[in-house]
Amino acid sequence: MRRRPQVTAGTVLLPEQTPPWPGTYRVRVHATGRDDADSGESYQLTVWRSPATDTVVHKRTDRLGYRLRGEVEPPATSRPEDAYRWVEKSALAEAATITVVAAGDPDTVVRAFGADPSTPARMEALEDRAMHNSEPWIAVAPVTDAVIAVEYNGYQGSHAPELRALSRGTRAASLYWNVNGLTRLSFAADGRILVAFELGEPQCDPVLEPILRDLDFDDYRHLIAKGLVAVERFTGSAFGEDDLARMETAGIGFAVLPLLGELYPVSRRIDGSRANHGHGPLSADTDLLADLPAERQQAMAWWAVRRAAEYSHLADDPDVVACLEARTLTPEAELRARRSTVGERANFWFWSAVHHATNPDPLAAAIGTLDAARYAMGTVAAEFIDEARTLLADTAVTETSES
């Protein structure tokens, strides 16, 4: 169909104009899925202006084409990912994380996720809490020599702390994907993260070669199914649509209390200086923290925790007092810190400051704690930063005098 051009203020508009316009054009037709009874066929047509020339056949591999041309049909072939293409039509199609733990039992897996196996809940209730309060949850089921954990639109199984816990004394693998096309394939063994990467990122580790062999991640089609093949190969345990159906029929899941995040050392240049020079909670003054000895850096971190506790009216809280006295995150405090990451996130930034203060890298502890504490201080954050700068300057002077 062709439409007459519209003219507006001397400008010619071509709304919904259907080519070709006068002249010669070429059309490239790309057909896929013509042998696929499950997903159906699709076509992509590309049209461009070009002089007339001979037809070019770039590729013809579908068996339907051989039949239509009256040619001998090649034998049917299968791909490794065919076994997991059921995911594309499941409730997990758009966003999920699937984690498989080899030689595990369901209760141990649930605990490793930070959930309580003695308090199951209905999937519908858990989904509602996830939707309104961002509270994560999992469903689990035993499979052959393994346990599979499924998160509908969740991602806890892709996090390093959970994978470390899940893989203690065994092997664990997870695949995360979301509606934006982001993915993360992770492998862990004996409490260590071996590798975690986006599907399609080149991998040079020879250990991964048999796991990723013949999985073409450069081809976007059935990408998630290919990642799940890798999960099966790493853990040695297959799972299928029936396993997901068993979980959904049971209708039971477990609310997850996320483990606390990883604490990383300060990134440094080759010469040992801080990589993020000039940046941090104290702006350029953050660099002065690097000149302090480790014990003064730790003291700065716990000073920030104390000030945040005072502002948050937690200075007399027994759990907080215990943390400040021992300069550590006690088990009771750790549980409260984890609870602050979900639901109403009560005192989240304060507990984040306490967590950062326990970083084994003293400089990272000071920077991370000051950063979290300034958010905990709310409306008096500017005054807190000024006080921290004054304390830092006084400490620097003391260090100079003592030296």
Side-chain angles (χ1 to χ4, degrees):
M1 180 178 70
R2 303 188 66 181
R3 296 174 181 253
R4 297 178 61 186
Q6 297 178 358
V7 179
T8 303
T11 301
V12 178
L13 304 177
L14 301 174
E16 300 181 35
Q17 179 77 9
T18 303
W21 297 277
T24 57
Y25 290 78
R26 289 182 66 76
V27 179
R28 180 182 183 273
V29 181
H30 178 210
T32 58
R34 298 211 297 173
D35 296 332
D36 193 339
D38 293 327
S39 62
E41 58 189 283
S42 61
Y43 295 86
Q44 182 185 64
L45 276 66
T46 306
V47 181
W48 70 97
R49 190 187 297 272
S50 172
T53 185
D54 295 336
T55 298
V56 177
V57 178
H58 295 280
K59 186 179 182 182
R60 51 186 184 186
T61 56
D62 58 83
R63 300 169 69 232
L64 175 61
Y66 281 90
R67 291 198 298 273
L68 294 176
R69 293 189 298 271
E71 301 172 357
V72 177
E73 188 176 329
T77 59
S78 62
R79 297 286 307 161
E81 60 267 22
D82 291 347
Y84 288 98
R85 287 177 53 185
W86 56 267
V87 172
E88 298 166 2
K89 293 187 176 182
S90 73
L92 308 175
E94 290 190 348
T97 299
I98 290 180
T99 305
V100 177
V101 182
D105 69 87
D107 283 3
T108 300
V109 169
V110 168
R111 291 190 189 95
F113 266 100
D116 184 351
S118 68
T119 58
R122 291 185 302 109
M123 281 187 174
E124 294 84 356
L126 292 166
E127 182 63 32
D128 185 67
R129 287 160 58 181
M131 182 70 67
H132 293 94
N133 298 322
S134 300
E135 296 183 20
W137 64 281
I138 56 169
V140 300
V143 295
T144 304
D145 298 324
V147 173
I148 179 174
V150 172
E151 299 173 71
Y152 296 78
N153 199 26
Y155 45 80
Q156 299 303 130
S158 68
H159 289 173
E162 280 77 1
L163 283 168
R164 293 186 202 281
L166 289 162
S167 67
R168 289 196 181 101
T170 184
R171 296 160 71 85
S174 70
L175 177 64
Y176 156 77
W177 66 95
N178 70 11
V179 70
N180 297 317
L182 296 177
T183 61
R184 189 170 185 83
L185 178 60
S186 306
F187 302 130
D190 295 322
R192 296 184 303 110
I193 308 300
L194 302 182
V195 67
F197 58 93
E198 181 90 8
L199 294 180
E201 290 182 358
Q203 301 299 313
C204 303
D205 189 339
V207 174
L208 296 178
E209 195 281 329
I211 298 169
L212 305 180
R213 182 188 299 136
D214 65 16
L215 297 177
D216 183 6
F217 292 119
D218 291 332
D219 182 353
Y220 68 91
R221 291 172 295 180
H222 315 305
L223 197 63
I224 302 307
K226 295 170 187 174
L228 293 176
V229 172
V231 170
E232 175 191 328
R233 289 174 176 175
F234 182 79
T235 59
S237 297
F239 52 95
E241 190 172 9
D242 291 345
D243 298 309
L244 181 64
R246 284 193 294 121
M247 280 188 276
E248 293 180 342
T249 299
I252 294 298
F254 301 88
V256 167
L257 199 57
L259 304 183
L260 296 179
E262 299 276 275
L263 294 172
Y264 298 101
V266 166
S267 297
R268 297 182 181 275
R269 299 189 179 98
I270 297 177
D271 62 3
S273 62
R274 195 167 71 95
N276 296 323
H277 182 75
H279 299 280
L282 306 182
S283 301
D285 289 341
T286 305
D287 294 331
L288 299 176
L289 289 166
D291 298 329
L292 300 180
E295 61 272 16
R296 294 295 177 90
Q297 293 168 345
Q298 291 170 333
M300 178 67 79
W302 287 104
W303 168 84
V305 170
R306 187 178 299 278
R307 292 292 290 113
E310 293 168 354
Y311 178 80
S312 304
H313 306 292
L314 293 171
D316 296 326
D317 185 293
D319 291 335
V320 175
V321 171
C323 289
L324 288 168
E325 289 179 349
R327 288 194 174 185
T328 189
L329 195 63
T330 65
E332 295 79 10
E334 180 181 353
L335 191 60
R336 291 177 66 176
R338 289 168 57 195
R339 285 175 178 156
S340 75
T341 65
V342 298
E344 297 180 357
R345 294 166 61 89
N347 295 309
F348 167 76
W349 285 114
F350 168 75
W351 289 113
S352 179
V354 180
H355 178 45
H356 278 286
T358 65
N359 193 318
D361 179 348
L363 179 56
I367 294 174
T369 306
L370 286 167
D371 194 36
R374 62 173 171 159
Y375 289 100
M377 298 299 289
T379 57
V380 297
E383 289 84 345
F384 168 75
I385 293 299
D386 289 342
E387 188 179 355
R389 285 196 173 104
T390 300
L391 177 62
L392 179 59
D394 292 344
T395 303
V397 170
T398 300
E399 287 298 318
T400 302
S401 301
E402 291 178 354
S403 62

